[in-house]
Amino acid sequence: MLTLPQKGFARSIKKHNINTSIMADWIESSIVFTDEEVSKIEIIDILCENEYYESQDFATEQVEICWSEIDRRASWMGSGSPIIVDGLKIRKSLDINNIAHSFCLMLSRSDYYDKWSTQFGTDFNEQGNLFEDLTCQSLSVHGWKIYQTGWANAVKNKISDSETTVFRGLIANIAGILNESPGGNIEKWINDKTNEAGLDIVSYKPFTDDRPGIPTFFVQCASGAKWKEKLKEPDLAYWSKMIDFSIVPQKAISIPFSLDSDNLRRDTNRYEGMIIDRYRILSAGSTGINWVTEALSEKITAWLEPRVKKLQTL
């Protein structure tokens, strides 16, 4: 088993003080990255030995809750799940290598292991780009058309000497694919510090008539633990100045973390937009299709390798 998370686990005497989502991540990660299977009694012993529980019966109750959560997660992944809940044990499928699942689990470690991410440097552009590409491929499988803004790479690679010029081109492209018109007074709202206003992906479903007013989401991808700081993005009020929408798009945020139903409901209401969490992304493989392209899979594997080597076990 991997070492216990540094957050989400607290002593539990009369009530459970274990975060079930974090506990489920710990068990799933242990199965995927180190062990082929774990048992309920093994987890109960670890919880008691580390003095999170005095009573084995009470610890058993928490393990049962967590087992149900992992079983629910596996059902959302369908036949693409690398996790098999088998009675008293949870084991790894030897037939399925779900690289997207491994990637999201590894990204999520930054939420409950202090200083985990900074072991590998402070430039998170690579993981952000990989996660954005993964989100795009998942949304495509679900039937959405995709347009990536490519803002960070456009500026980094100096596609234009002026960020304002890049942004004008971005506005024209997005308006074009949505059959909308650019705003009538764009110059009033942009300057040399203008950026993409939190927009990574335009996800849309056109009809065959090439007319405006189609289902559209403006998507922000947040691969880091501080994703809740981005809940105001994309800025739809700002984008409504840039494009003369017939219908203002909805906003969405894609994250590699798993939210239980209660937290998803609360955060969605507070965000006023759609939250695409880990298992919504991974549901692209629910029918067993190999939905991650070979090129992206190779890049993710290369990103994972040094991190897997740094994992510590009990």
Side-chain angles (χ1 to χ4, degrees):
M1 294 293 295
L2 295 174
T3 54
L4 287 158
Q6 296 164 316
K7 299 177 183 177
F9 280 61
R11 190 164 171 78
S12 302
I13 303 299
K14 294 184 177 181
K15 72 170 187 174
H16 296 296
N17 293 312
I18 304 291
N19 183 304
T20 300
S21 290
I22 293 177
M23 181 177 173
D25 275 12
W26 167 61
I27 293 173
E28 283 189 50
S29 296
S30 294
I31 293 168
V32 169
F33 297 122
T34 62
D35 304 312
E36 291 188 358
E37 66 177 31
V38 299
S39 66
K40 286 184 179 180
I41 191 62
E42 182 180 359
I43 302 301
I44 292 166
D45 286 345
I46 290 172
L47 293 176
C48 292
E49 288 168 3
N50 285 273
E51 300 184 346
Y52 290 114
Y53 286 89
E54 291 182 351
S55 164
Q56 280 210 337
D57 288 342
F58 199 34
T60 299
E61 187 177 297
Q62 173 60 30
V63 171
E64 293 287 355
I65 293 170
C66 191
W67 238 243
S68 295
E69 171 65 16
I70 295 173
D71 189 41
R72 185 162 44 248
R73 292 177 175 192
S75 72
W76 290 334
M77 290 187 283
S79 58
S81 174
I83 301 293
I84 298 172
V85 180
D86 187 11
L88 298 176
K89 295 182 178 182
I90 299 177
R91 57 187 173 85
K92 178 168 57 177
S93 170
L94 300 180
D95 299 323
I96 297 173
N97 176 25
N98 192 325
I99 192 68
H101 178 251
S102 300
F103 181 48
C104 288
L105 282 175
M106 191 66 79
L107 285 173
S108 297
R109 287 178 63 83
S110 64
D111 190 32
Y112 40 84
Y113 287 95
D114 292 335
K115 299 180 180 178
W116 164 257
S117 298
T118 54
Q119 294 183 72
F120 309 98
T122 56
D123 184 354
F124 302 113
N125 285 327
E126 182 184 14
Q127 76 172 43
N129 289 336
L130 292 174
F131 183 66
E132 181 179 322
D133 288 344
L134 188 73
T135 298
C136 286
Q137 292 187 13
S138 175
L139 290 172
S140 294
V141 170
H142 283 99
W144 292 87
K145 297 277 189 182
I146 298 299
Y147 176 83
Q148 289 179 264
T149 66
W151 175 263
N153 287 332
V155 173
K156 179 180 178 181
N157 297 327
K158 295 183 178 179
I159 290 176
S160 170
D161 291 334
S162 168
E163 293 186 13
T164 303
T165 301
V166 175
F167 190 60
R168 286 195 193 93
L170 184 61
I171 293 168
N173 289 343
I174 295 172
I177 63 172
L178 299 179
N179 298 304
E180 303 282 13
S181 302
N185 194 7
I186 293 174
E187 301 304 324
K188 181 178 180 180
W189 302 102
I190 63 177
N191 56 40
D192 290 340
K193 295 183 180 179
T194 295
N195 59 30
E196 86 291 7
L199 176 60
D200 294 319
I201 302 166
V202 179
S203 181
Y204 61 104
K205 282 195 174 183
F207 295 96
T208 58
D209 55 14
D210 293 330
R211 289 181 291 178
I214 59 176
T216 305
F217 282 94
F218 275 18
V219 185
Q220 160 76 208
C221 294
S223 64
K226 296 181 179 180
W227 65 271
K228 289 190 176 183
E229 295 179 4
K230 296 188 175 184
L231 287 181
K232 293 182 179 179
E233 300 177 359
D235 187 338
L236 297 180
Y238 182 76
W239 274 103
S240 293
K241 301 292 186 183
M242 301 299 104
I243 297 174
D244 185 16
F245 293 115
S246 303
I247 301 174
V248 177
Q250 295 290 305
K251 63 180 180 178
I253 187 167
S254 176
I255 58 174
F257 308 97
S258 176
L259 302 182
D260 62 33
S261 296
D262 289 338
N263 282 320
L264 180 68
R265 182 181 301 108
R266 284 190 288 265
D267 288 337
T268 297
N269 179 261
R270 183 160 62 96
Y271 178 49
E272 297 182 331
M274 179 172 62
I275 297 178
I276 310 167
D277 76 341
R278 181 193 305 158
Y279 292 94
R280 287 185 167 178
I281 294 170
L282 298 179
S283 66
S286 61
T287 60
I289 62 171
N290 188 12
W291 61 278
V292 182
T293 65
E294 184 177 351
L296 180 57
S297 181
E298 288 176 355
K299 290 178 182 178
I300 291 175
T301 299
W303 182 90
L304 280 170
E305 283 177 350
R307 289 160 176 81
V308 172
K309 290 177 181 178
K310 286 282 188 177
L311 294 174
Q312 296 182 335
T313 58
L314 293 172

